[in-house]
Amino acid sequence: MSATVVNRADRAGRTGLVHRVLGPAEERPAWQERPRLATRVGKVVALVGVCALVAVPLLVVVATSLASPDEVVENGGWVLWPTDPTLATYRDILSGGTITHSLLVSVGVTVGGTLISLFGTITLAYALSRDHFSLRRPLLLMVLFTFLFPPSMLPSYLVVKNLGLLDTYWALTLPVAINVFNLVIMRGFFQGLPKELYDAARIDGAGELTVLTRIVLPLSRPVIAVIGLFYAVGYWNSFFHAILYLNDSGDWPLQAVLQTVVTQGAALGGNSSDALADTGALAAPQSYQMATVVIAILPILVVYPFVQRYFTKGVLTGAIKS
């Protein structure tokens, strides 16, 4: 009997505490109330609408790239659902010429540039995160100054020209090797690591390089993966630097060729450095353009799901700690 009384009193006490904290149901804040049916329906409709705005254009791009030239012409240049899907357009594009070469250039620039950027960002962020580094504050101020006052196109071009980087792929990587935002995120992550790890390593006689490679980097895989994806997406989608620094259009990466194809209506294929010409692409230019778009976005779509799980732990932790 006494246990029953105690349980009832405990429930009554908890109920009273809830009422004292939250108040009556009609006095609760709006964010603590159960959404009304109209609100829930509106959220579903809005979510479906946003998904449709993203999915339908992507579906049209993929469908047009898979449609036959005759079907593309009959439908006025756009196809929502191809009746006879074919990969002939992709075979024509990847059989050789400008697109194949530009795709290899994009892969090389993306991989090489991402490795260079990660190396520079990791080493500089680690140096700026150490309190005993005497030049930490002036270097940090210099880095933040470039973030607040980025260089314009003309000074950047003159620097690249005076360094002898014109018409080389180094011009696509070295001028943008370190992104200040990514540097700040990684520095904040390094600062958030327990200081006891650094102290224990120094007591054991480990140098800075040993601490970085054996302690910091294994614990920083989430932020390294996220920052690496940021750099890779930036290099893969970059086209303006190629147009600005590479005079030979035959050496352009895929995005620069795609920009020329879509905005200026140039045809695809061919090995000429003076023009992008291919007579077979003139039959249905929209299908060739859309196939190039699919090829351009496919690598990022494949890589992104493997890195998505690191976003919250990597970026938010670094941003909060910084």
Side-chain angles (χ1 to χ4, degrees):
M1 177 66 73
S2 60
T4 304
V5 174
V6 170
N7 292 335
R8 290 178 179 177
D10 182 59
R11 288 197 297 270
R14 286 182 292 180
T15 303
L17 178 62
V18 170
H19 279 284
R20 286 195 301 272
V21 174
L22 299 179
E26 62 273 13
E27 297 180 1
R28 293 181 180 180
W31 60 83
Q32 293 183 351
E33 296 181 356
R34 180 178 175 82
R36 298 179 180 179
L37 179 60
T39 303
R40 286 180 287 173
V41 172
K43 291 180 179 180
V44 173
V45 172
L47 182 61
V48 172
V50 172
C51 293
L53 290 176
V54 176
V56 172
L58 184 61
L59 177 61
V60 171
V61 169
V62 176
T64 304
S65 67
L66 295 175
S68 62
D70 295 336
E71 186 176 4
V72 173
V73 174
E74 291 176 358
N75 289 273
W78 303 99
V79 178
L80 183 61
W81 191 266
T83 57
D84 188 16
T86 177
L87 296 176
T89 304
Y90 291 93
R91 288 195 297 266
D92 292 342
I93 291 177
L94 298 177
S95 61
T98 302
I99 295 299
T100 304
H101 180 71
S102 63
L103 180 60
L104 296 178
V105 171
S106 293
V107 172
V109 171
T110 300
V111 175
T114 302
L115 294 178
I116 294 174
S117 297
L118 282 179
F119 176 80
T121 304
I122 290 173
T123 52
L124 183 56
Y126 178 75
L128 295 178
S129 66
R130 299 297 89 219
D131 296 334
H132 61 273
F133 182 49
S134 59
L135 300 178
R136 178 176 62 89
R137 185 174 181 81
L139 281 178
L140 181 60
L141 292 177
M142 290 175 59
V143 170
L144 295 178
F145 181 82
T146 62
F147 181 72
L148 297 175
F149 303 97
S152 59
M153 180 180 65
L154 183 58
S156 299
Y157 181 84
L158 294 177
V159 170
V160 171
K161 180 180 179 181
N162 292 331
L163 292 176
L165 300 179
L166 286 180
D167 288 327
T168 65
Y169 293 126
W170 293 111
L172 307 182
T173 56
L174 294 184
V176 292
I178 297 179
N179 183 276
V180 179
F181 174 79
N182 296 337
L183 177 66
V184 172
I185 293 296
M186 189 165 291
R187 172 180 173 269
F189 191 93
F190 290 164
Q191 287 180 326
L193 296 178
K195 294 184 177 179
E196 291 78 9
L197 295 175
Y198 299 102
D199 297 338
R202 292 194 183 93
I203 293 174
D204 293 338
E208 295 295 343
L209 183 60
T210 303
V211 174
L212 176 62
T213 55
R214 296 190 178 183
I215 296 178
V216 176
L217 293 184
L219 296 176
S220 305
R221 292 176 181 174
V223 70
I224 292 175
V226 174
I227 298 302
L229 179 63
F230 286 167
Y231 277 124
V233 171
Y235 283 116
W236 183 264
N237 291 332
S238 177
F239 67 91
F240 182 72
H241 289 163
I243 298 175
L244 184 63
Y245 300 136
L246 300 180
N247 296 323
D248 190 350
S249 60
D251 295 332
W252 284 356
L254 180 61
Q255 299 296 340
V257 175
L258 178 61
Q259 189 269 346
T260 304
V261 169
V262 174
T263 61
Q264 300 182 12
L268 303 177
N271 295 315
S272 174
S273 60
D274 299 326
L276 303 174
D278 182 81
T279 56
L282 300 177
Q286 291 85 354
S287 62
Y288 283 80
Q289 292 176 2
M290 296 305 104
T292 309
V293 172
V294 173
I295 294 174
I297 66 177
L298 187 60
I300 300 301
L301 292 179
V302 173
V303 174
Y304 180 79
F306 297 97
V307 188
Q308 182 184 9
R309 60 192 181 99
Y310 293 116
F311 264 72
T312 302
K313 186 176 180 181
V315 175
L316 295 184
T317 303
I320 293 173
K321 293 293 183 181
S322 61

